Amino acid sequence: MTNEKKAISEIILLALALAAFAIAAWLALKVLLVLLAIVTFSSICFIYGYSACKEKLTLEDKR
């Protein structure tokens, strides 16, 4: 009976460890997706701002 309880407790501990790993991986993925969204948005804003600034400078040069 004690061996069965020990086996059951080991299975429960393994299941809890797997669940903890899955939660940690999900949170890491979520953080990486948020960082990717921030980098993409800032890159688009930078490119748009740079092109607008460059266009403004070229318009001033033509005057």
Side-chain angles (χ1 to χ4, degrees):
M1 201 66 165
T2 57
N3 286 339
E4 290 175 0
K5 286 183 180 179
K6 187 175 181 181
I8 290 173
S9 66
E10 286 181 5
I11 291 172
I12 290 173
L13 285 176
L14 285 173
L16 288 174
L18 182 63
F21 178 76
I23 291 171
W26 179 74
L27 288 175
L29 181 65
K30 196 172 185 180
V31 168
L32 287 175
L33 286 174
V34 167
L35 287 176
L36 179 66
I38 291 170
V39 168
T40 304
F41 181 73
S42 62
S43 297
I44 290 171
C45 288
F46 176 76
I47 291 169
Y48 178 74
Y50 178 74
S51 64
C53 181
K54 191 175 180 182
E55 185 177 328
K56 183 179 176 185
L57 290 175
T58 56
L59 286 176
E60 287 178 358
D61 290 342
K62 290 180 181 178
R63 289 183 188 176

